[in-house]
Amino acid sequence: MRFNPDHVSREVGPDGVEHTYVNGSLAVRMFVIFAAAYIMSYAFRAINAVIAQPLVAELGLSAGQLGFLASAYFLSFALMQLPVGVMLDRYGPRRVEAVLIGFAALGALLFAVADSYSVLWLGRALIGVGVSACLMAAVKAYSLYFRPHLQASLSSWMLVAGSLGALTVTTPVEAALPLLGWRGVFGLAAVLCVLAGLALWFALPALFKPQKAQSVGDMAQGYRAIYAHPHFWRVAPLAMITQGGFMAFHGLWVGPWFTNVVGLSNSQAAQNMFWISAVLMLGYLALGFMTRRISKAGGDEDQIMLIGMGLSLILFAVQIVQGSDSSVWGWLVHAFLISSGIMTYATCNKPFPKKLTGRSSTALNLLIFVGAFSIQWGIGLGIDAFTAMGLSSTDAMRLSLAFLWLMQLGSWLWYARPGRKTSHLIPFSAT
């Protein structure tokens, strides 16, 4: 693709290394294209909460089957994280994401035409493969081509874009279901994935030169140092169980909570999910402003994450106890507070050199999505098991979520224990 050379500048940084930065309309275009792909990723993650009712009605799925089907996205996404980290560092964000999102298009098409549970599961898994680089590729691109003082803001805006993806699959998709059906919705999603891939490949310049000084095997060795670091394992349980748990609930079970526990219609549930996603987006925006101010003042920005996630646990417990009397307002406050959990990425990266931050982020992402997969499926299995024991479907879901809450509380206490402030100052060296 041709581009105005005035939109690319090369400057020598304080480290004595020449950096390539994008400016003007090219910078805007790069952000918009990567953000558009991430919107698709987040939309695929959240869509099952809206289509759960018609999917169950058409196919007669149990709660366990529904949870396993929805969580196929998280499983394949998780399995891709370590290869994605190496590919991004070796081949660059544009190439990697443009190729992978084609698998998401294929998966969405398979899901749309599937006539069996196994084909549905395969389609959902391929979607997870296809969008597995959407956020990490953007983070990598911004670290390469945008000046350091812009990168925190760009990351916050990417999360806002993701929240927009969640918004598009609430009320808008629910309104489209009578016209298109869930199959038509996934067919349209396949087309949008193809368009996103074409934009990545043809509308962005090939600025990145493949890095072949190290072999793939040597680059993969970086993960060994990351997983051996004690600070990583201080943060990982909190991210895996609390962040992954919220993704599992928000991506599927929040819909059945409103329809089966509270007793709302599918359209009312979709409306509530719309507002939850909107508040989550506001939480990400507020987080960007707060962390910048606190960090600039020399404060401990990790305190925001610790307090926000701690308060979110209180709200989660209240909602579980209230059950059918729970209020959408409680879920809105919960979503706002738990948005602070996105800081686990930045917190995890603190002890690692910049050359490893792509791999340290994907190393954590792997565990988050393993957690999301396990919890999303586990909630369904728990509901089936407690129902078989004679509990009502309402109490079965509440009890399943109570077990999740206990695990989240344990992960929060593990991170908050004494010594947290100095744990990311442990000396680290890696080749």
Side-chain angles (χ1 to χ4, degrees):
M1 183 215 134
R2 293 184 178 180
F3 61 95
N4 188 334
D6 293 337
H7 291 165
V8 176
S9 60
R10 291 175 173 82
E11 303 173 11
V12 177
D15 53 2
V17 177
E18 185 178 76
H19 298 275
T20 300
Y21 295 123
V22 294
N23 309 296
S25 61
L26 178 57
V28 174
R29 187 193 314 157
M30 184 174 288
F31 172 81
V32 169
I33 290 174
F34 277 108
Y38 187 52
I39 286 173
M40 292 302 302
S41 172
Y42 220 109
F44 279 127
R45 185 187 306 176
I47 195 170
N48 278 26
V50 178
I51 68 168
Q53 195 173 66
L55 201 62
V56 168
E58 180 174 334
L59 302 175
L61 304 179
S62 68
Q65 287 176 315
L66 179 62
F68 187 55
L69 174 61
S71 64
Y73 168 103
F74 292 125
L75 176 62
S76 60
F77 194 112
L79 293 175
M80 285 296 296
Q81 288 310 293
L82 300 190
V84 161
V86 173
M87 287 190 292
L88 289 174
D89 286 341
R90 188 171 178 84
Y91 299 109
R94 168 185 159 271
R95 289 181 179 87
V96 171
E97 188 172 350
V99 171
L100 284 178
I101 206 165
F103 288 91
L106 176 60
L109 183 61
L110 272 181
F111 202 94
V113 301
D115 57 1
S116 68
Y117 182 83
S118 59
V119 177
L120 280 172
W121 196 94
L122 177 61
R124 183 77 176 156
L126 282 173
I127 290 171
V129 170
V131 299
S132 60
C134 285
L135 179 58
M136 295 296 104
V139 170
K140 178 71 174 180
Y142 302 152
S143 69
L144 287 172
Y145 305 125
F146 288 79
R147 290 170 176 80
H149 71 277
L150 296 173
Q151 291 172 20
S153 298
L154 289 165
S155 296
S156 296
W157 280 107
M158 280 296 291
L159 298 172
V160 172
S163 300
L164 288 174
L167 287 174
T168 61
V169 297
T170 53
T171 302
V173 166
E174 198 280 331
L177 284 175
L179 178 64
L180 299 177
W182 60 267
R183 295 181 184 274
V185 168
F186 273 84
L188 178 59
V191 173
L192 293 176
C193 284
V194 171
L195 294 176
L198 292 174
L200 284 160
W201 193 267
F202 292 107
L204 293 178
L207 297 174
F208 189 90
K209 295 181 179 179
Q211 306 297 305
K212 298 182 179 180
Q214 280 186 302
S215 68
V216 172
D218 288 339
M219 295 182 75
Q221 288 297 314
Y223 285 117
R224 178 178 296 179
I226 291 165
Y227 282 123
H229 201 289
H231 179 69
F232 181 90
W233 290 109
R234 187 171 194 126
V235 180
L238 182 67
M240 184 177 185
I241 300 172
T242 304
Q243 275 292 95
F246 176 73
M247 288 164 59
F249 181 72
H250 186 248
L252 175 62
W253 296 113
V254 66
W257 176 274
F258 285 125
T259 55
N260 300 345
V261 176
V262 181
L264 302 181
S265 67
N266 204 51
S267 59
Q268 290 172 319
Q271 185 67 44
N272 285 349
M273 287 183 279
F274 175 90
W275 289 116
I276 290 172
S277 297
V279 169
L280 188 65
M281 180 176 65
L282 291 176
Y284 290 140
L285 282 172
L287 191 66
F289 289 115
M290 291 173 65
T291 53
R292 182 182 298 178
R293 283 175 174 265
I294 290 177
S295 181
K296 189 175 181 180
D300 180 13
E301 69 274 12
D302 288 354
Q303 283 285 356
I304 299 174
M305 180 183 72
L306 189 64
I307 294 170
M309 297 186 82
L311 292 175
S312 76
L313 283 171
I314 296 174
L315 264 294
F316 194 21
V318 169
Q319 296 295 92
I320 294 170
V321 170
Q322 290 183 330
S324 59
D325 295 326
S326 63
S327 167
V328 66
W329 291 104
W331 290 120
L332 294 178
V333 177
H334 176 260
F336 184 85
L337 291 169
I338 208 166
S339 65
S340 61
I342 200 66
M343 291 179 64
T344 52
Y345 289 105
T347 300
C348 180
N349 284 340
K350 284 186 174 181
F352 302 113
K354 289 185 177 181
K355 64 181 180 180
L356 278 180
T357 52
R359 276 164 281 178
S360 65
S361 294
T362 52
L364 186 66
N365 225 22
L366 165 63
L367 297 185
I368 291 174
F369 278 83
V370 166
F373 161 74
S374 305
I375 292 167
Q376 194 166 79
W377 186 19
I379 290 173
L381 293 177
I383 292 170
D384 287 342
F386 293 133
T387 303
M389 292 167 59
L391 274 67
S392 67
S393 60
T394 296
D395 288 338
M397 178 174 279
R398 292 171 67 196
L399 190 54
S400 293
L401 293 180
F403 276 101
L404 171 60
W405 181 84
L406 287 172
M407 291 191 297
Q408 290 181 336
L409 176 63
S411 70
W412 185 87
L413 292 172
W414 173 257
Y415 176 77
R417 74 191 193 279
R420 177 188 62 80
K421 289 185 179 181
T422 58
S423 63
H424 54 68
L425 300 178
I426 298 169
F428 176 83
S429 62
T431 57

